[in-house]
């Protein structure tokens, strides 16, 4: 598989390396959120926490960042509807 990798031309390597470094230091919002969740087994922890809360009778509602930013009205309606149950 490693033989299938494409390598940068030597004259462009330093430019591409610096570009990659800057991108790692300044991730997009989506990348930052994803890595925050992946680091330290946050996904596994979140699942375990959800199961514990549900066993205690809590109802968990999840929203994506996109839903909150672009559809806040629907998010609020969903929360209100669930509070009335």
């Amino acid at each position: 598989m490693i033989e299938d990798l494409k390598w940068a031309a030597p004259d462009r390597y330093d430019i591409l390396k610096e570009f990659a470094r800057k991108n790692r230091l300044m991730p997009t919002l989506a990348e930052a959120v994803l890595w925050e969740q992946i680091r330290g087994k946050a996904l596994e922890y979140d699942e375990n926490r959800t199961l514990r809360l549900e066993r205690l009778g809590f109802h968990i509602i999840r929203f994506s960042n996109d839903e909150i930013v672009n559809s806040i009205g629907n998010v609020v309606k969903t929360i209100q509807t669930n509070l009335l149950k």
Side-chain angles (χ1 to χ4, degrees), residues 46-68:
D46 197 44
E47 284 181 16
N48 290 334
R49 182 180 58 179
T50 297
L51 290 172
R52 284 195 313 271
L53 289 170
E54 287 175 340
R55 280 189 217 119
L56 293 170
F58 290 94
H59 177 73
I60 308 302
I61 308 169
R62 299 204 184 280
F63 301 100
S64 69
N65 290 340
D66 184 64
E67 288 174 297
I68 292 169

Side-chain angles (χ1 to χ4, degrees), residues 30-45:
E31 289 170 329
V33 169
L34 175 62
W35 282 108
E36 183 179 315
Q37 291 300 307
I38 291 173
R39 263 188 217 106
K41 299 183 181 180
L43 292 173
E44 182 181 326
Y45 171 78

